[in-house]
Amino acid sequence: MTKNHGAHSNLLKYQQSMADYLLYKADSADKHNILLDVSRPQLGIYRNNVRAVCYETLADNFETVCRVVGEDCFTGMVVRFIAERPPDLQQLSLYGKYFPTFIDNLPELQHLPWLADVARLEWQMVESFNAPSAVSLTASQVAAGIEAGLDHLALHPSCRLMSSPWPVVSVWQQHWHHREDDSQVQLRLDTGAEYALIFCYQQAARIRALSSDVYSVLQAINRAADVDSAEAPDLTRPDVIQVLAELIAHGLFIRPLE
Amino acid sequence: MAHEMIGLGLRPAYYDDVLASTPPVSCFEIHPENYYSAGGTHFWLEKIRSDYPLLLHSVSLSPGSAECVPAEDIARLKALADRYQSYHISEHLAWSRLGQTYFHDLLPLPYTPESLETVCRNIQQIQEGVGVQILLENPTVYIRFQESMPETEFLTEICRRTGCGLLLDINNIYINSINHGLDADAYIKALPAECVGEIHLAGHQRQDGEMLEGSDRRLLIDSHDAAVASDVWSLYSRHIQCFPECPVIIERDSNFPPLDELLAEAEIARTIRARAGYVDNPETDKSRSCA
Ligand SMILES: [Fe+2]
């Protein structure tokens, strides 16, 4: 609940005009003349602070995107993003939910059509890290669950599944492996769609590339309640068994919520 | 003999070192906003809480907003306080929210009768919501307003009307004294010492570029990215007798040095206190409740 103090409030008017200034919607912070020395550069400290905390957070949450476009371009993106989608949560580290869509719509980045999906992948990592914890099933509990039907299993709340028509996992991995030197990154974008599981293990968000078949199996587990058993995937294939074993080892199966 | 608590601002950069070395400080202060999601950083905080009391230093309730504080924001703080059994809670004399937007910066407000009523209303709402007295921190302010009463008068009146306490940030007082040509000692003397429930010490930066108007000094920025300046230590030493029972927190928010450097600053605070006749023992202080 947010109640206004009243239209006559000078404080509210000042805060609205300061907000427009901070979010780059206005050049002046003082439409109503309540500041004493509005022309002095000190006012810019506040705008710089707001931009700096947003920049740092977005650069942290979208490290690969920042390195792909470079810091100057990223700064420009941040300024426009702040105006369009200012932080709307108390927790600053969760800023950037709408950044991938924002990137989708940036005309000057149309030559990097895969970039928004890289941002989506990175955002899933932020969500994964911040997901609630849950009690993991043991290997024998998972085996019993598979026996009883997939609707007896669920993926851990930190798990996210993602698919992209672009090789976004490869892009992310290349940058990750060459963190010290971006010039080593060699991107190939003609390799087609990629699939990934994003999960949290030992307090770090991680990415596991998947084949499209394994991706479908995990999706089926995720939606098990909606899928009737006739559509149950084949869990006996070697590649599926290998990924299921990894998931069990990482504690990524839980009991579905009632 | 008064026992005191000397602690550090806890940031993720120090989680592992704190857990590995259980350093000799009495408590840690956190920004509750960093712990509002379900997962993530709680893993470390739970472990650290089992060894140390936590102080909650909120930055997003925005008591200076013309709008009321969203009830869900207060509820989030209350839930965190309950989860960690930590009821030593502070906020800033500033605004940082308008409508749905959180600016994540402490923005200044004119010290007018309207602002006074607004801040008091919001603080009462926060105190009712969390169920304890909160402390209000004196801010660093870079701009001035045409109509404004002295900050000390404004803070004193807030304490009187709401029963809240004060978190005295010595670095902020020093910065404002340089940037606005104020008398830092007079500022501290003008506040009701009995309301002060916590002390902050932090570092600042001198901005390059033009001199301050009518002065041979440069603007100071409240950057929290450096060691506590010697002038700030002196200011603290000169007034230590006014608040011997308050926890003292060393804040560092960027340019993180090795933990040992912050511990050395905590040691300086301890030495200053010892020289003034107040002896601290982190082991016994740690077991006390902060609230
Ligand atoms: Fe402070």
Side-chain angles (χ1 to χ4, degrees), chain A residues 3-119:
Chain A
K3 200 173 65 192
N4 281 357
H5 201 64
H8 62 280
S9 160
N10 284 330
L11 184 62
L12 185 62
K13 282 183 194 161
Y14 150 66
Q15 291 178 343
Q16 283 164 338
S17 118
M18 183 74 161
D20 285 347
Y21 170 76
L22 294 170
L23 301 177
Y24 294 86
K25 292 176 177 171
D27 289 331
S28 159
D30 191 25
K31 280 193 290 210
H32 309 285
N33 277 324
I34 77 166
L35 297 179
L36 188 61
D37 34 18
V38 66
S39 61
R40 299 182 65 199
Q42 277 85 313
L43 193 58
I45 293 171
Y46 292 103
R47 199 193 240 183
N48 289 344
N49 280 350
V50 171
R51 188 185 64 196
V53 292
C54 290
Y55 179 96
E56 279 160 27
T57 306
L58 293 169
D60 221 36
N61 288 346
F62 301 95
E63 196 184 320
T64 310
V65 172
C66 181
R67 283 165 56 191
V68 167
V69 301
E71 284 181 16
D72 287 346
C73 175
F74 199 74
T75 303
M77 289 162 70
V78 168
V79 167
R80 286 167 62 180
F81 185 62
I82 294 172
E84 226 172 87
R85 284 282 188 174
D88 60 357
L89 293 174
Q90 287 179 283
Q91 185 166 345
L92 179 60
S93 65
L94 295 180
Y95 184 42
K97 182 178 181 185
Y98 304 104
F99 201 54
T101 313
F102 167 81
I103 293 174
D104 259 334
N105 297 328
L106 277 183
E108 54 273 58
L109 290 180
Q110 294 305 307
H111 63 292
L112 304 173
W114 42 272
L115 192 64
D117 272 3
V118 174

Side-chain angles (χ1 to χ4, degrees), chain A residues 2-249:
Chain A
T2 313
K3 200 173 65 192
N4 281 357
H5 201 64
H8 62 280
S9 160
N10 284 330
L11 184 62
L12 185 62
K13 282 183 194 161
Y14 150 66
Q15 291 178 343
Q16 283 164 338
S17 118
M18 183 74 161
D20 285 347
Y21 170 76
L22 294 170
L23 301 177
Y24 294 86
K25 292 176 177 171
D27 289 331
S28 159
D30 191 25
K31 280 193 290 210
H32 309 285
N33 277 324
I34 77 166
L35 297 179
L36 188 61
D37 34 18
V38 66
S39 61
R40 299 182 65 199
Q42 277 85 313
L43 193 58
I45 293 171
Y46 292 103
R47 199 193 240 183
N48 289 344
N49 280 350
V50 171
R51 188 185 64 196
V53 292
C54 290
Y55 179 96
E56 279 160 27
T57 306
L58 293 169
D60 221 36
N61 288 346
F62 301 95
E63 196 184 320
T64 310
V65 172
C66 181
R67 283 165 56 191
V68 167
V69 301
E71 284 181 16
D72 287 346
C73 175
F74 199 74
T75 303
M77 289 162 70
V78 168
V79 167
R80 286 167 62 180
F81 185 62
I82 294 172
E84 226 172 87
R85 284 282 188 174
D88 60 357
L89 293 174
Q90 287 179 283
Q91 185 166 345
L92 179 60
S93 65
L94 295 180
Y95 184 42
K97 182 178 181 185
Y98 304 104
F99 201 54
T101 313
F102 167 81
I103 293 174
D104 259 334
N105 297 328
L106 277 183
E108 54 273 58
L109 290 180
Q110 294 305 307
H111 63 292
L112 304 173
W114 42 272
L115 192 64
D117 272 3
V118 174
R120 276 185 191 99
L121 183 68
E122 295 196 290
W123 180 252
Q124 307 270 31
M125 294 178 78
V126 174
E127 284 193 344
S128 179
F129 178 73
N130 285 284
S133 52
V135 179
S136 304
L137 296 181
T138 62
S140 55
Q141 287 171 323
V142 175
I146 290 174
E147 201 72 22
L150 282 188
D151 56 344
H152 289 76
L153 294 177
L155 294 180
H156 191 276
S158 78
C159 291
R160 303 281 183 283
L161 288 163
M162 179 174 167
S163 69
S164 169
W166 303 99
V168 289
V169 179
S170 304
V171 171
W172 186 87
Q173 280 169 342
Q174 280 268 334
H175 281 276
W176 179 258
H177 287 311
H178 300 292
R179 298 186 86 190
E180 305 306 322
D181 182 6
D182 279 326
S183 68
Q184 300 287 308
V185 173
Q186 292 174 344
L187 295 184
R188 281 199 55 193
L189 298 165
D190 55 356
T191 50
E194 286 191 346
Y195 305 85
L197 170 71
I198 300 95
F199 64 99
C200 195
Y201 180 62
Q202 293 182 335
Q203 290 70 56
R206 294 155 202 265
I207 295 175
R208 201 315 184 174
L210 303 172
S211 69
S212 77
D213 291 341
V214 175
Y215 171 83
S216 305
V217 170
L218 296 187
Q219 262 200 326
I221 293 173
N222 234 0
R223 299 190 306 232
D226 314 326
V227 177
D228 70 55
S229 53
E231 292 174 52
D234 178 6
L235 301 180
T236 60
R237 292 172 35 164
D239 55 342
V240 174
I241 289 174
Q242 192 200 328
V243 172
L244 293 184
E246 279 178 41
L247 263 62
I248 292 168

